[in-house]
Amino acid sequence: MSRTAAKVVGVVLALLGLVLTGAGSWFAAHLGGTGTATFAAHPGSTAVLVVGPSVLDRVDGPVRVTATGTKGTAVWVGLAAPSDATAVLGSAERDTVVGVSIRDWRAVTHHSGSGAAQGLTTADVWRTEASGTGTATLTVRQADAPQTLVVAGSGGTLQTVTLSWVHKAWFVQAIVTVLVGLALLAGGALLLWPRADDDDDDGASAGASRLGVAA
Amino acid sequence: MTRTGAARTRPAARRAAGLVAALAATLAMGGCGVTDAVVGIHAAPAEDRSVAAVDQDNAQRIAARVLGAAQSAQAKTGTDAATALEAALTGAALAVGQAAVATHSASATAPDPLTNPGAPKVLAVSQGRTWPRAILAATLDETANRQYLHVLVSSSPTDPFRLAYTVPMHAGASIPSLGTLADGAPLVPASDATGLVAAPQDLLAEYAGALAYPKAQSAPTIPPTDPFARSLLANAQSQTASLGKLGSLAEKQSVVADDTISFRLADGGAVTFGLLKRVDTITLAKSAKELKLPSAYARLSGKKTVTKSVTVVSLEPVVLVIPTSGTATAVGGDEQLVSVAGH
């Protein structure tokens, strides 16, 4: 019975080890040596894209934002206090990033509002701004958190907005996960490996059982 | 036999238990139970809404931009000037700026503080995340060795800051501390006398009454002893002396109520920016046949001489420091000719 339990545990450990090794390897491959997690949103519309503090300010590290529009689009990125950004946007049409999906490395958006945002780029609420034709990049520091990021495009549509978090520990954790997975896999294999005393052990157990019945 | 069997089964059970414990620990550390803390994810910090509306760097950048735009606008003429002024100025500064442009060719009574504004130094930013918002900045005209105070105002989220006041400070005058820039200075409503010897609008009205000529009203809260008040009185007395028996001069001041802006000082007092409108009326005596107007006034009024009276309207942006006790003081003031009408 105890040998059977050990084999069951061995199977569980081996399976878990496989899962952790696979997951760790997958994360390590995506994060790279710098531990950079990049998520992309694909608005494909003229609405502004908004990233609030519930997404932007969750990790103690910089977030690099790169916005790309269709050819010739004047792309603008601004960073403001959350209440300021809300006040400036009013009820304007927007795609709000509400979370990220690790499965496909996608920024999950929610569409709301109506009408174009007015006076967006001339408002004096932006702590940092970046602009360019076709693309614009801005790095968000956490020193001024919380903050809301707004991306707008004029003369075209926003195609892709990528959010990249750099957290070196993530790569290390992925590697540790791989190593733990391999260790569990090895442990499971050891438990499952046939041993010389397997027959004796079974015999002893059977003998004990028989003795018990005899008593 | 039974003892031997039990002894052989216990190590296997212990191994299994140990492995299960290790498995549990692994799961807790980095498996299915991965916590946000392990990967460095935390809740976003809450927004503090009781700080300065604009951080120091941005306030500095905005002040430089707005003062530059105002300087550029006042250098323009015609319709270009009107458009540029409305884009860069608001409130009292717009009224004064428009008057300055309109009367520029006729008179140069007011100094032009934006000709060489120098690099602005931000003194205070309004506190909180509501609108209107204001920035108080100072510039030093090194040529004239004179300091100017500027108030920039943003009335709504989409309304960029524009220049609302530019007022020269009196020689030797100063403003008490407004606290740290990061904390911001709360704006004081014009009718709010909380902690002050008088509400800003009441004090401005008292000051305006004290500047009346020839019958000044009593002003126990703000005695008109500052250089601007003394200069107005001296000019009025000089004009009266010049007119002699040919006519009389009367000056009346009123507060342009909508344009008052006040910042709370660190000591609980306030610094108030207000706009006064002064109407000077010269009434000719019956014995006088006519009064010949100075060329600048003649150009504005369209008349070289008047036979009954002449009315001169001016705007006066002023800065008052309102303490928590004692008497208030005027620390800055200016005048800008607006119009001349002859009868």
Side-chain angles (χ1 to χ4, degrees):
Chain A
M1 182 63 186
S2 60
R3 179 63 191 147
T4 304
K7 286 184 176 178
V8 170
V9 171
V11 169
V12 171
L13 287 180
L15 288 174
L16 187 62
L18 277 174
V19 169
L20 289 180
T21 303
S25 302
W26 184 76
F27 271 109
H30 276 93
L31 295 169
T34 58
T36 303
T38 299
F39 301 88
H42 305 282
S45 72
T46 55
V48 297
L49 183 119
V50 181
V51 190
S54 63
V55 173
L56 209 56
D57 300 316
R58 301 290 299 276
V59 177
D60 291 331
V63 186
R64 193 172 65 249
V65 181
T66 302
T68 307
T70 51
K71 188 178 180 183
T73 303
V75 180
W76 174 89
V77 184
L79 194 64
S83 59
D84 285 1
T86 300
V88 169
L89 289 171
S91 59
E93 183 183 15
R94 76 202 64 181
D95 292 304
T96 305
V97 176
V98 294
V100 294
S101 169
I102 289 176
R103 189 163 53 92
D104 50 1
W105 301 95
R106 183 172 57 88
V108 182
T109 59
H110 171 70
H111 189 84
S112 63
S114 61
Q118 302 294 324
L120 196 63
T121 57
T122 55
D124 274 325
V125 300
W126 308 110
R127 294 170 175 169
T128 310
E129 297 174 67
S131 59
T133 302
T135 185
T137 300
L138 186 148
T139 299
V140 180
R141 313 281 175 196
Q142 298 301 320
D144 295 325
Q147 47 211 337
T148 292
L149 182 100
V150 178
V151 184
S154 64
T157 59
L158 288 175
Q159 279 187 316
T160 306
V161 177
T162 60
L163 307 169
S164 297
W165 281 263
V166 180
H167 196 67
K168 286 185 178 177
W170 287 341
F171 178 72
V172 175
Q173 287 169 330
I175 295 301
V176 168
T177 304
V178 171
L179 295 176
V180 169
L182 289 173
L184 291 176
L185 190 59
L190 279 175
L191 285 175
L192 291 172
W193 196 264
R195 292 201 305 249
D197 60 346
D198 271 2
D199 291 341
D200 295 343
D201 193 29
D202 290 344
S205 298
S209 180
R210 281 196 297 273
L211 283 171
V213 171
Chain B
M1 289 288 284
T2 305
R3 190 178 298 160
T4 305
R8 293 181 64 181
T9 54
R10 270 192 215 108
R14 277 200 297 270
R15 281 200 303 273
L19 285 168
V20 169
L23 172 61
T26 303
L27 290 174
M29 291 287 290
C32 301
V34 170
T35 63
D36 287 349
V38 170
V39 293
I41 296 175
H42 53 72
E47 184 179 2
D48 185 356
R49 300 184 181 218
S50 61
V51 294
V54 182
D55 64 50
Q56 184 175 354
D57 290 344
N58 273 323
Q60 190 71 37
R61 179 179 55 80
I62 290 168
R65 185 200 72 208
V66 171
L67 292 179
Q71 178 186 3
S72 173
Q74 291 202 325
K76 295 181 186 297
T77 56
T79 52
D80 287 349
T83 305
L85 284 172
E86 288 182 4
L89 310 178
T90 186
L94 179 59
V96 172
Q98 287 172 332
V101 169
T103 61
H104 183 69
S105 58
S107 170
T109 55
D112 187 353
L114 297 173
T115 301
N116 182 20
K121 178 184 178 185
V122 175
L123 303 179
V125 175
S126 61
Q127 189 183 71
R129 299 242 165 257
T130 56
W131 276 266
R133 295 177 172 182
I135 296 172
L136 173 58
T139 55
L140 175 65
D141 182 349
E142 293 182 352
T143 307
N145 194 27
R146 195 167 196 191
Q147 192 140 24
Y148 289 86
L149 295 174
H150 310 275
V151 178
L152 287 58
V153 170
S154 168
S155 58
S156 71
T158 55
D159 178 37
F161 278 95
R162 287 181 287 174
L163 185 66
Y165 275 96
T166 285
V167 189
M169 290 185 74
H170 300 324
S174 62
I175 296 178
S177 170
L178 287 125
T180 65
L181 279 175
D183 290 341
L187 294 180
V188 181
S191 59
D192 186 3
T194 307
L196 304 172
V197 293
Q201 66 181 19
D202 295 339
L203 194 72
L204 282 166
E206 187 175 322
Y207 187 60
L211 298 179
Y213 182 85
K215 293 182 179 178
Q217 295 173 8
S218 172
T221 316
I222 181 161
T225 56
D226 60 276
F228 182 64
R230 289 202 305 268
S231 169
L232 288 178
L233 178 62
N235 286 340
Q237 289 172 335
S238 174
Q239 275 191 282
T240 300
S242 299
L243 287 169
K245 294 181 179 178
L246 294 176
S248 61
L249 169 67
E251 290 182 357
K252 187 179 180 183
Q253 321 255 358
S254 59
V255 180
V256 182
D258 293 343
D259 291 324
T260 302
I261 299 171
S262 303
F263 295 85
R264 183 73 71 178
L265 298 170
D267 64 4
V271 56
T272 291
F273 290 78
L275 184 63
L276 306 182
K277 179 183 177 183
R278 190 180 87 222
V279 179
D280 298 351
T281 305
I282 296 174
T283 305
L284 271 63
K286 288 182 179 176
S287 57
K289 289 174 81 175
E290 63 178 23
L291 178 68
K292 187 178 180 182
L293 297 178
S295 59
Y297 285 14
R299 194 174 301 170
L300 284 172
S301 66
K303 294 180 179 177
K304 291 184 178 178
T305 60
V306 294
T307 56
K308 293 181 180 176
S309 65
V310 58
T311 303
V312 181
V313 177
S314 302
L315 289 175
E316 299 170 335
V318 295
V319 188
L320 311 179
V321 172
I322 313 175
T324 55
S325 62
T327 56
T329 53
V331 295
D334 197 6
E335 63 178 328
Q336 170 61 52
L337 177 65
V338 176
S339 64
V340 179
H343 304 283

